[in-house]
Amino acid sequence: SFAILITTVLVNLAIWVGINKPYTVVESRYPVQSFSFNPFKKHQSPFEQHVFSAEELEADIKILAPKTKSIRLYNATNGIEQIPAIAERYGIKVIAAAFLDSKDPKNKNREEVYSVIKEASFNNNITHVIIGNETLLHKTVPEQELLNYVNEARQVLSTPVSFAEPWDHWVRNPDMASKVDFLAVHILPYWAEIHIDDAVDYVFEKYDLLKKLFPYKHIMIAETGWPSDGPQRGAAKASQANQAKFIRDFIRRAEARGIDYNIIEAFDQPWKNETEGRVGEHWGIMTADRTEKFPMSGPVLEDPNWKYWAASSSLLGMVAISLFLYRRKDIKIIGQIFSVIMFQA
């Protein structure tokens, strides 16, 4: 019985080792050009109108300081307006933003636009202003209302102003390019169901298409990235290894080409499960607990904690089967083998 038990445990551990071999992907490095920054933690949500304190915002910015040169925000109220001044102390640039709500409770959209204009007027580290995030894609507000907000900001700010939409919106609506100071473009190959091996090529293919269509317009890839978990979409598999592969390869190539880009996103956002499903939670290069998922150089593990899972599961299986076999000494050898395998499985 002891020989059967030990042999099965060793086979079990060998399987764990076999399915958790490290991946070798291209090398990259920090700091990146920009990360999307949503400061919500596990227990927080924008639906609850959480107001951020300067202390909790600074704690996150301190984590991001060695990792990025800039951060992209998505709204300008509920304490977020404090971020540019805090970021400046850490040498971080800011892409400021106004969030537009389809319900617009108590003129919240007007408040957002006013707040982001004020931020950009008083903070020299704000490099760009984005009003509305995929507003036209989701029909959040009418097109003319969006353009009115953008025009209002452009008239009073020297900071470049735009609105952010997926790449194909700009292709289908080329006249919109004249309404903004730059194109804020989202290119997300996961949602396009692109295989990870072709994902980075897909991003640059769409970027080059836009450069060809708008040769005199500055183009920022305002969102690109890959989720570390979630359902598979077509050929696109959400996994930690695939996220590391995409991020490291994209950054290396974007830096070599001098492309203006922003990675979505710094931290996982559990609240996004309500709007985007399970995959929405897992776009961060760090978890909601602010721990890194993968390094920018060296081998990458799908699950860095697999050794702890392997050891604990094998130990629990050993204890359970030892007690079982001790109490059931009448079981024949075939039954012992079957029992040990079942417990270890």
Side-chain angles (χ1 to χ4, degrees):
S1 297
F2 182 76
I4 293 168
L5 178 60
I6 295 302
T7 301
T8 309
V9 168
L10 291 175
V11 170
N12 184 31
L13 290 173
I15 293 171
W16 275 97
V17 172
I19 63 177
N20 286 282
K21 289 181 178 178
Y23 294 84
T24 301
V25 295
V26 298
E27 301 284 307
S28 189
R29 58 181 174 76
Y30 288 122
V32 304
Q33 192 171 127
S34 181
F35 275 131
S36 292
F37 174 42
N38 273 304
F40 298 99
K41 298 180 176 65
K42 279 184 178 179
H43 60 286
Q44 297 170 340
S45 165
F47 308 119
E48 299 170 356
Q49 296 298 309
H50 177 78
V51 178
F52 291 96
S53 68
E55 290 73 22
E56 59 184 326
L57 292 171
E58 184 164 6
D60 278 345
I61 290 171
K62 188 180 292 187
I63 294 171
L64 292 174
K67 298 182 183 298
T68 185
K69 301 172 186 175
S70 177
I71 52 178
R72 178 188 168 183
L73 307 180
Y74 287 83
N75 67 297
T77 56
N78 295 335
I80 299 297
E81 66 275 9
Q82 303 171 89
I83 290 178
I86 298 171
E88 188 167 28
R89 298 202 295 268
Y90 289 86
I92 296 177
K93 303 292 185 183
V94 174
I95 303 167
F99 176 76
L100 302 182
D101 193 334
S102 58
K103 298 175 184 177
D104 195 13
K106 297 182 180 179
N107 294 316
K108 183 70 173 176
N109 290 346
R110 168 59 52 198
E111 182 186 351
E112 282 279 326
V113 173
Y114 174 79
S115 183
V116 78
I117 290 174
K118 184 178 178 181
E119 284 180 38
S121 299
F122 290 97
N123 293 279
N124 293 327
N125 61 327
I126 292 180
T127 59
H128 301 80
V129 171
I130 295 177
I131 295 178
N133 184 62
E134 298 187 348
T135 302
L136 299 179
L137 173 67
H138 299 295
K139 297 179 172 61
T140 307
V141 299
E143 179 181 303
Q144 191 55 54
E145 183 180 343
L146 171 63
L147 293 178
N148 289 342
Y149 291 138
V150 171
N151 288 336
E152 182 179 343
R154 292 181 75 191
Q155 287 172 8
V156 298
L157 294 176
S158 58
T159 309
V161 180
S162 186
F163 54 85
E165 295 290 338
W167 67 270
D168 53 333
H169 167 83
W170 299 100
V171 173
R172 293 195 309 269
N173 302 277
D175 58 306
M176 283 292 185
S178 64
K179 314 291 186 183
V180 296
D181 297 318
F182 67 100
L183 302 191
V185 181
H186 293 176
I187 311 176
L188 297 159
Y190 170 80
W191 291 119
E193 303 183 357
I194 305 298
H195 192 278
I196 186 62
D197 290 343
D198 304 314
V200 176
D201 288 338
Y202 173 87
V203 175
F204 289 114
E205 174 189 316
K206 303 311 177 188
Y207 175 84
D208 290 338
L209 172 62
L210 291 168
K211 289 295 289 183
K212 185 177 180 180
L213 290 173
F214 308 103
Y216 303 110
K217 208 76 175 180
H218 177 67
I219 298 174
M220 173 196 290
I221 300 179
E223 276 188 6
T224 194
W226 195 273
S228 62
D229 196 7
Q232 183 164 331
R233 286 180 58 87
K237 181 182 178 183
S239 73
Q240 192 159 295
N242 283 352
Q243 184 184 50
K245 180 176 182 178
F246 177 87
I247 297 295
R248 282 165 57 161
D249 191 18
F250 171 80
I251 290 172
R252 180 179 60 88
R253 291 170 61 178
E255 296 283 357
R257 292 184 56 176
I259 290 174
D260 195 3
Y261 70 87
N262 172 73
I263 299 291
I264 184 168
E265 60 190 318
F267 306 119
D268 278 350
Q269 297 293 296
W271 65 269
K272 287 187 178 180
N273 188 294
E274 295 185 38
T275 57
E276 298 177 20
R278 187 161 61 91
V279 73
E281 303 180 44
H282 300 289
W283 289 82
I285 55 96
M286 285 177 273
T287 68
D289 294 323
R290 280 46 181 169
T291 57
E292 279 194 343
K293 293 181 182 179
F294 57 86
M296 280 292 184
S297 61
V300 173
L301 290 169
E302 182 61 61
D303 181 359
N305 298 314
W306 74 267
K307 293 179 181 178
Y308 303 108
W309 294 114
S312 59
S313 64
S314 298
L315 181 60
L316 287 170
M318 283 183 64
V319 172
I321 197 62
S322 297
L323 291 172
F324 178 75
L325 292 178
Y326 178 75
R327 292 172 63 88
R328 295 296 305 274
K329 297 176 181 179
D330 56 318
I331 295 179
K332 295 181 179 179
I333 189 69
I334 297 299
Q336 291 180 24
I337 294 173
F338 178 78
S339 300
V340 169
I341 292 173
M342 291 300 295
F343 271 86
Q344 279 295 296

